[in-house]
Structure formats: C-alpha cells, structure tokens
Amino acid sequence: MHLAHLRLRNFRNYTRLDADWSPGFHVLAGANAQGKTNLLEAIYLLATLRSFRGIGGAQMIQQGQAGYFVGARIVGVEQHDARIYWSVSRRELTLDRHPVRRIADYLGVLRAVVFCSEDSQLVKGSGRIRRRFLDLILTQTRPDYLAWLQRYHAALRARNAILKGREIDPDALAGFSAELVRAGQPLMEARASLTPRLAEVARSAYERMAGGGGESLAATYEPNVRGDLAVALAQSRARDQAYRQTMAGPHRDELQLALDGRPAAQYGSEGQKRTVALALKAAQAEYLTLHHGAPPVLLIDDVMGELDRQRRGGFIPLLEQVRQARGQVFMTCTEENWPRDLGTDLVRWTVTAGSLNPS
Amino acid sequence: MDRYRISTWPPPLLDLINELGMLPGIGPRSAERLALFLAQSPAADVERLAESIRTARRGIQSCATCGALSDRQPCSLCQDPRRDLGILCVVEQPVDVLNIEKTAAFRGRYHVLGGRISPTRGVGPEDLRIPELERRLQDQPNLELIVALGSDVEGDATAIYLARRLAGRCARITRLAHGLPVGSSLEFADELTLRQAIENRRPLQ
Ligand SMILES: Nc1ncnc2c1ncn2[C@@H]1O[C@H](COP(=O)(O)OP(=O)(O)O)[C@@H](O)[C@H]1O
Ligand SMILES: [Mg+2]
Ligand SMILES: [Zn+2]
C-alpha cells in the first residue's frame, strides 16, 4: 500500500501542495519549522482522521483561512481517492467521490504508523493513551471494533449521566448497563486476544534495539474487570452511585509495560522509556504487516536522528520488510542527522516554508 | 460578496428566506431558491399553498390514544375494526407508524412514545408517553407488545427499560429481529429489511 498523490490546500503552512510519490523510502529534509512534521500530519490524518499531535481539527486550518483540504490517491490492492474538507461549519469526507457515512467504512483505506516525540507518552502518560494505542490497532485490524467502541462510549456517557442525576431510575440504569455490557464484552475479548501477540513482537523489537544482554520488555493486558462484566457492574453499583460514575469496565483497562518485571514508567531510565515506546510502535507496524500481508505506511518524525546506532539498527528489519513489499516510508530529518547508514536508494526532498522540492 | 447581495434584498424576502431556512433539510441556499421562486409565482398559487399549510396545521393533531398524527380523534388506525386488537407496536415517532404501515407486515395497532430515553440530552422515562401505554395495558391485559425502536444504544436501552417496567402486565413482549444494522434507526431501514425484522421478532429478555 502506498500514497501515490497528495494534495493540500490551506493545511497549516501549506497553501498549495500537489505531490506525486513512488513506493519506497522518502526523506524529507529541511531546517526547523518549515513544514516537515505538518506533511506527516496530513498523511496520518488521511489514515486515521485525526492528528497525532493530539489536537482538534481547527488548528490544522491555515491561519486566516476558512478550512483545509487534504486529498490523496492511495494505491493498494485497489486504488482509492480520498478527500477531507474541514472547516468550523462544514466537514466532508469522501471516498471515491461518495460521502462516507460510517467512519468504519473508511478506515483501512490507508494504514499508517507514526513514530514521533509524543510516543514517549505511551510509557509516561496515563492509561488512556495506552488504551487508545490498543484501540487504534484493533480498529486497523477488525472491521467491527470501532462500532463496538463507539457504542460502548455512548452507553458509558448515558450511564454516567444517569448516575449524576438527582434520582436514579433503576430500570433506566439497568437498560444502559445492559448496553454497556453488550458493547464492552467484545472490546475486552479483542484486547485480550491482541495483547499477547503484540507483546511478543514488541519484546523482540525491544531486544533488537536495546542489544543482546539488555532488559526484556513484557507488555500485558490488565483488564479492569476479570470475567463477567455484567456481574462486575452489579457489584460496583454502590461504588458507582457514591462516585456518580461508572467505576468498572474496559474504559479503565491497562496495558502494563515492564522491563525485567518492573514497571517501565517508574523504574526505566529516559533512554529505556524511549526505546519501549519505539518498540511498541515497531510492534504495531509489524503486527499490521502480519495481519494484512502488506506493511502500513511508516511516518517517522525526527526520532531516527536522536537514536544511537544500536537503536537505529533495530529499525532496519522493519524498513527492510517495507522495502521488499514495495511499501512506503516518510522520514523527516535536519541536515545534521541525515540517515547515511540507512542505505542509498532514498528519495530525497527538501521542505522549505511550506513547499516541497526534490533535492 | 454574499453579504452585499443579501443586504440589498427587500426585507419581506429576507423574512421568507429565514422562515424557510428553519425547515428540516433546507439549507441557506435552498431557502433562497424557494423564496425567490415563491416571490415570483402567481399570487393565486401562493395563496393556495399558504392556505393548505394553514389547513394542515389546524387539522392535524396527535391521536390521544396512540400518539400518531391524525385529522380525527381517535385516529383512523385506532378506529379500524379490521386491525388486530391483541397486538400493539411501540415506536418512537409518528413517522415510524408510516414506515411500518408501508411494509404491510403488521396488522395490529400502534403506540407512539414520542422519543426514547436519552440521559445525555436530559430525556428521561417521565418525558415519554409511557403512562398512556400503561393505561392501555390496564384496559386490555392480554396484549402482545412489539417494541420497534432504533437499534442504537438509546433505542435498545429504552426497549430493555420497557421490558422491565411492563413485565407481567402483558402477554408477551418482543422486539424487532436484528436484520436492522446495529446503530441504525427505523427511518433509514428499507421496507424489506423492516418487514423481515417484524416477522422474525424475538422475545425481549
Ligand atoms: N495553522 C497554521 N497556519 C499556518 N502556519 C502554521 C499553522 N500551524 C503551524 N504552522 C507553521 O508551520 C511551521 C511548523 O511546521 P512543522 O511541520 O511543525 O515544522 P518542522 O519542519 O520543524 O517539522 C511553523 O512555521 C508554523 O508557524
Ligand atoms: Mg518537526
Ligand atoms: Zn390512534
């Protein structure tokens, strides 16, 4: 799968961009604040309909403009034309020129994995960030996962609204509890079946990056509820009422990360935490490759430049897989950290103040 | 440029554009087009349209029994002797009655709730026509209820709510089979899907 054409209008510092891309390894070089990350952000937006910078859509609109446009031609088993227009008052998403009615019908047209500085939050941040990581992979691999996830959150919001009310109608609470269980159970099953497989890939990626004799990474699923969600909800009833919100369920699940049995967030060094985050992202990419038989588009923002040779070397098998499958990599760097050791068949681009030129 | 054009229009035309723009499915541009069309139509045609809007509004009310829209009290469906009196279909909105009638798969009568439980929007059971439903069940204890609500979270939770609240007060409570895709409302279901959902209805809880 690769991005064959990208068209931007009024997207961040790109007033107009029309670019054709081959499969392979593209290096986007340039000084700071020229628009390298913005370009990766646009590609990631096409894949996931959100920014990896964890912000709302309005910030991506070029200053002084009403809305942005991001369009692409994507070539995989089939060819697709994807277009996003976003303004404060109007949002449009079309696939092959038809409006997309359900997001789940769109996701999967372009699969991408991003490596960026925000990744360290996977280790240091709250459980919500790790749940979102699992949810994204499950959305990228199971067609009905997103529908259940959205349904679960709708049921959760409704149930919490009942718990916050002055009087709780027990039958209404029971109605939304049943819905919470119905949507929550498939989420728990999906996360439980994904995690061991993902953890195995992450463990070997970490080993490659940290070198032999290093620590061993273990990622484990810690469900908030073990067993029957309906039973747990019933047991949690008094607590829910006291806290006026739903205290049990997969919205409180954890993905635990440990190095040699000790929690990585507390005991890992800064360098180890960074490696854990990289290994998780590499595992996401490898897992998607295994699952779909084709690698996702890799978006690598700066991180390579900060790595030592050993850690960088840990990436090479993944990049090699992409190369062999005629996948695609977009990698940003500044002149100082140009990745000389990653081979010679790189397509090199220069990004200057919102314009892109071959170099 | 838009602003210039709008400000030069006579105020009565602007009023009309605003009024039409409040209608469902009519955006600003359609409102403009309709207003311009009406303003240039023969006066008699426009009078007739105005009159039929007025007549419709005056003549249509909700049936005190079932809640459907009607020009008489009770409505013709509630009065029709050929309908099966032993079975009641519970729907959200008056428009659902029309959709189910189109399938010709249902021969009983209806009960319109007027919405569904939506805690995030502040709609509770007390805002729905549930006491009216309970009264009908009291008058006629051996009814079968078909709960025909949308299959999203709120529709399904409302169905479960009704099953609990009305348990033991009717002969049987069923719900539509899930031929209906998860998360969709009756309005968007085609006739065939809806007919199958009614024919294959299954017990609720
Ligand atoms: N909404 C926006 N409108 C216009 N320019 C923007 C917008 N958002 C960011 N920029 C500009 O984009 C540049 C940063 O781009 P970025 O891709 O993060 O740089 P880098 O090349 O260092 O990765 C800055 O010059 C910033 O002012
Ligand atoms: Mg950057
Ligand atoms: Zn009636």
Side-chain angles (χ1 to χ4, degrees):
Chain A
M1 160 180 293
H2 78 278
L3 179 75
H5 184 80
L6 179 68
R7 181 184 179 91
L8 303 181
R9 294 291 183 271
N10 300 330
F11 183 87
R12 292 214 185 255
N13 67 337
Y14 291 88
T15 306
R16 305 167 65 85
L17 176 81
D18 294 274
D20 291 307
W21 312 91
S22 56
F25 205 128
H26 299 272
V27 178
L28 309 169
N32 269 328
Q34 299 303 308
K36 302 184 298 295
T37 303
N38 295 345
L39 202 59
L40 300 192
E41 187 180 37
I43 300 172
Y44 189 80
L45 180 72
L46 279 162
T48 63
L49 303 177
R50 53 165 64 177
S51 167
F52 58 78
R53 284 166 162 163
I55 48 132
Q59 290 178 50
M60 293 184 274
I61 302 172
Q62 187 164 86
Q63 258 155 40
Q65 297 295 326
Y68 68 68
F69 173 87
V70 176
R73 199 170 78 250
I74 297 149
V75 179
V77 182
E78 304 157 31
Q79 267 209 32
H80 290 292
D81 170 297
R83 302 175 186 208
I84 303 170
Y85 175 80
W86 209 103
S87 77
V88 175
S89 59
R90 200 157 62 92
R91 293 161 200 196
E92 276 170 34
L93 171 64
T94 67
L95 180 60
D96 302 325
R97 292 170 180 261
H98 296 294
V100 174
R101 284 223 284 180
R102 292 184 342 140
I103 301 296
D105 298 336
Y106 173 82
L107 297 175
V109 165
L110 178 66
R111 281 183 298 276
V113 174
V114 66
F115 298 81
C116 58
S117 54
E118 284 83 353
D119 288 345
S120 62
Q121 290 302 312
L122 273 174
V123 185
K124 299 182 197 172
S126 67
R128 166 203 288 258
I129 289 165
R130 288 178 289 281
R131 282 190 296 278
R132 201 198 277 169
F133 173 68
L134 293 179
D135 288 340
L136 177 60
I137 300 175
L138 288 163
T139 302
Q140 288 174 317
T141 50
R142 296 182 180 223
D144 59 349
Y145 188 81
L146 183 64
W148 286 120
L149 186 65
Q150 287 172 334
R151 202 175 165 99
Y152 181 81
H153 283 288
L156 183 63
R157 278 193 301 275
R159 192 174 186 276
N160 286 345
I162 293 176
L163 290 166
K164 285 192 172 56
R166 231 177 305 130
E167 268 172 63
I168 296 176
D169 182 321
D171 291 326
L173 188 66
F176 286 95
S177 300
E179 286 303 303
L180 198 75
V181 170
R182 181 162 159 232
Q185 210 76 48
L187 301 186
M188 290 160 60
E189 283 157 22
R191 289 174 183 175
S193 97
L194 167 70
T195 317
R197 285 182 263 175
L198 187 70
E200 179 46 35
V201 190
R203 191 196 56 74
S204 67
Y206 186 91
E207 192 175 275
R208 276 199 318 266
M209 291 176 191
E215 330 66 49
S216 170
L217 170 64
T220 40
Y221 177 51
E222 287 292 328
N224 174 262
V225 170
R226 288 176 196 281
D228 194 326
L229 181 54
V231 173
L233 266 188
Q235 285 169 346
S236 168
R237 174 70 193 273
R239 203 165 43 127
D240 287 1
Q241 228 158 311
Y243 287 93
R244 302 175 140 243
Q245 57 176 306
T246 306
M247 301 298 287
H251 60 291
R252 299 170 73 97
D253 282 353
E254 246 306 0
L255 175 67
Q256 224 141 57
L257 302 171
L259 290 173
D260 285 343
R262 300 201 298 178
Q266 282 101 300
Y267 294 97
S269 68
E270 282 306 305
Q272 285 172 329
K273 287 180 202 171
R274 205 133 48 93
T275 311
V276 170
L278 276 175
L280 287 173
K281 285 303 187 77
Q284 177 186 4
E286 287 180 48
Y287 180 77
L288 292 180
T289 308
L290 283 172
H291 187 275
H292 293 286
V297 172
L298 303 187
L299 307 171
I300 305 175
D301 194 24
D302 293 339
V303 288
M304 281 295 197
E306 302 165 3
L307 297 181
D308 55 37
R309 252 196 117 76
Q310 172 74 42
R311 276 160 223 252
R312 205 188 271 203
F315 259 99
I316 289 177
L318 179 59
L319 299 179
E320 202 43 52
Q321 256 181 10
V322 173
R323 198 189 310 269
Q324 277 169 16
R326 286 184 61 71
Q328 205 173 31
V329 180
F330 294 90
M331 188 177 127
T332 69
C333 69
T334 51
E335 286 305 324
E336 305 90 75
N337 57 33
W338 177 253
R340 273 163 245 291
D341 48 338
L342 288 179
T344 48
D345 49 349
L346 308 176
V347 186
R348 186 176 165 156
W349 305 83
T350 307
V351 177
T352 321
S355 74
L356 179 80
N357 293 291
S359 61
Chain B
M1 189 202 136
D2 271 357
R3 203 167 299 137
Y4 168 76
R5 197 177 62 197
I6 286 174
S7 68
T8 58
W9 275 346
L13 196 57
L14 272 181
D15 278 354
L16 182 56
I17 293 172
N18 283 335
E19 291 297 332
L20 291 170
M22 312 269 220
L23 300 176
I26 306 288
R29 232 172 294 163
S30 309
E32 265 175 39
R33 205 150 16 101
L34 289 172
L36 283 171
F37 174 81
L38 290 171
Q40 298 171 85
S41 299
D45 291 1
V46 177
E47 285 301 333
R48 218 170 36 244
L49 175 63
E51 191 47 37
S52 69
I53 293 175
R54 214 173 288 125
T55 312
R57 182 59 195 92
R58 284 201 197 115
I60 303 263
Q61 42 189 305
S62 19
C63 171
T65 309
C66 72
L69 296 179
S70 171
D71 59 349
R72 63 197 73 167
Q73 226 27 291
C75 73
S76 52
L77 278 170
C78 284
Q79 277 179 323
D80 188 343
R82 291 162 303 178
R83 307 288 299 197
D84 181 347
L85 295 183
I87 177 164
L88 210 55
C89 183
V90 180
V91 296
E92 243 177 86
Q93 302 294 346
V95 63
D96 298 330
V97 173
L98 296 178
N99 285 325
I100 294 178
E101 280 301 290
K102 274 192 229 155
T103 67
F106 177 70
R107 297 301 302 155
R109 289 173 304 156
Y110 293 93
H111 191 87
V112 178
L113 285 180
R116 60 202 169 164
I117 304 174
S118 176
T120 52
R121 268 173 260 177
V123 181
E126 65 283 359
D127 301 307
L128 307 178
R129 298 181 66 252
I130 297 174
E132 286 89 338
L133 178 58
E134 288 177 318
R135 222 167 300 132
R136 292 178 82 177
L137 292 177
Q138 218 160 31
D139 294 346
Q140 214 188 325
N142 276 319
L143 279 173
E144 174 186 350
L145 280 192
I146 302 179
V147 179
L149 305 177
S151 62
D152 60 358
V153 166
E154 291 174 349
D156 280 344
T158 305
I160 296 168
Y161 173 86
L162 290 174
R164 293 175 69 99
R165 177 152 164 185
L166 304 176
R169 286 195 258 175
C170 41
R172 192 159 106 96
I173 304 188
T174 57
R175 73 195 304 175
L176 296 186
H178 274 302
L180 239 49
V182 172
S184 68
S185 86
L186 290 197
E187 217 175 324
F188 298 115
D190 61 84
E191 272 170 42
L192 183 66
T193 312
L194 196 50
R195 172 189 299 185
Q196 285 170 344
I198 296 169
E199 281 165 356
N200 303 327
R201 62 184 181 270
R202 52 202 171 80
L204 220 173
Q205 301 266 293

